[in-house]
């Protein structure tokens, strides 16, 4: 029995859909942060994010994979935010459309460097001694200074060590970002 013919258009469409899905998942935090930067109420921001995600999926076939995904997705989010404020014009909180555009532009500028900053922090953390990294992770992981000090140190020594670690981390990240022109 002969095998059915291969529908190449269907295969290409499925591949495009999978690539789109990967971009949505990879960039959803950036789109959410963009919305949060424009909408002060977290519940409203989450609702707008959900609306944006629905629209992204409804319009997935309009996305050009040759273009950067984040500006396209944030453009859709921006439209939802504008509609949100338009509906709330009579409420106490009202942002002028020019202010929204200005906030939007600044948010996109800030986001463009955030990936580089995260990468710089990760690389600088890798350069730390294991003990310093352990102290930092313990402290920011929720352990108290007394717990970190334990029997081998004093809380005061741990505070001083944290200050030195933070200063070294800041210096390393600043140097990395300056080297990449992102300062």
């Amino acid at each position: 029995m002969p095998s059915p013919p291969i529908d190449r258009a269907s295969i290409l469409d499925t591949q495009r859909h999978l690539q789109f899905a990967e971009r949505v998942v990879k960039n959803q935090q950036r789109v959410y942060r963009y919305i949060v930067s424009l909408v002060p109420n977290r519940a409203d921001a989450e609702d707008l994010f959900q609306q944006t995600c629905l629209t992204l999926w409804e319009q997935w076939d309009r996305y050009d994979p040759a273009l950067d995904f984040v500006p396209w997705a944030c453009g859709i989010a921006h439209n939802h935010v504008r509609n949100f404020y338009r509906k709330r014009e009579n409420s106490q909180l009202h942002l002028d459309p020019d202010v929204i555009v200005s906030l939007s532009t600044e948010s996109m500028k800030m986001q463009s460097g955030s990936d580089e900053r995260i990468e710089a922090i990760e690389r600088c953390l890798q350069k730390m001694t294991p003990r310093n990294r352990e102290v930092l992770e313990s402290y920011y992981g929720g352990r108290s200074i007394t717990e970190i000090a334990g029997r081998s140190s004093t809380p005061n020594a741990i505070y001083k060590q944290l200050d030195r670690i933070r200063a070294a981390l800041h210096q390393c990240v600043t140097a990395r970002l300056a080297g990449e022109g992102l300062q």
Side-chain angles (χ1 to χ4, degrees), residues 13-95:
D13 195 44
T14 300
Q15 288 174 339
R16 274 191 65 222
H17 198 248
L18 288 173
Q19 288 173 343
F20 181 81
E22 287 174 10
R23 289 181 182 185
V24 169
V25 170
K26 179 181 174 188
N27 294 293
Q28 65 185 358
Q29 287 294 344
R30 293 176 75 186
V31 174
Y32 179 73
R33 285 192 312 254
Y34 171 77
I35 293 169
V36 167
S37 73
L38 300 175
V39 180
N41 181 296
R42 189 174 194 90
D44 291 335
E46 289 174 4
D47 288 344
L48 289 165
F49 177 68
Q50 292 301 320
Q51 291 172 23
T52 299
C53 287
L54 285 173
T55 304
L56 290 173
W57 285 109
E58 289 169 355
Q59 297 183 7
W60 80 271
D61 57 339
R62 294 182 186 173
Y63 172 67
D64 180 357
L67 299 176
D68 190 7
F69 178 81
V70 174
W72 181 76
C74 287
I76 290 172
H78 179 77
N79 290 335
H80 282 292
V81 170
R82 283 181 40 201
N83 288 336
F84 169 79
Y85 281 118
R86 198 174 295 131
K87 288 177 187 175
R88 294 196 173 212
E89 277 185 349
N90 295 329
S91 72
Q92 291 178 339
L93 177 64
H94 172 66
L95 291 179

Side-chain angles (χ1 to χ4, degrees), residues 131 134-140 142-155 158 161-162:
R131 174 65 184 149
E134 179 186 344
V135 168
L136 197 65
E137 288 172 356
S138 295
Y139 180 73
Y140 287 105
R143 291 183 62 200
S144 73
I145 293 293
T146 307
E147 288 176 315
I148 297 168
R151 294 182 184 175
S152 62
S153 187
T154 66
I158 297 298
Q161 184 178 3
L162 278 169

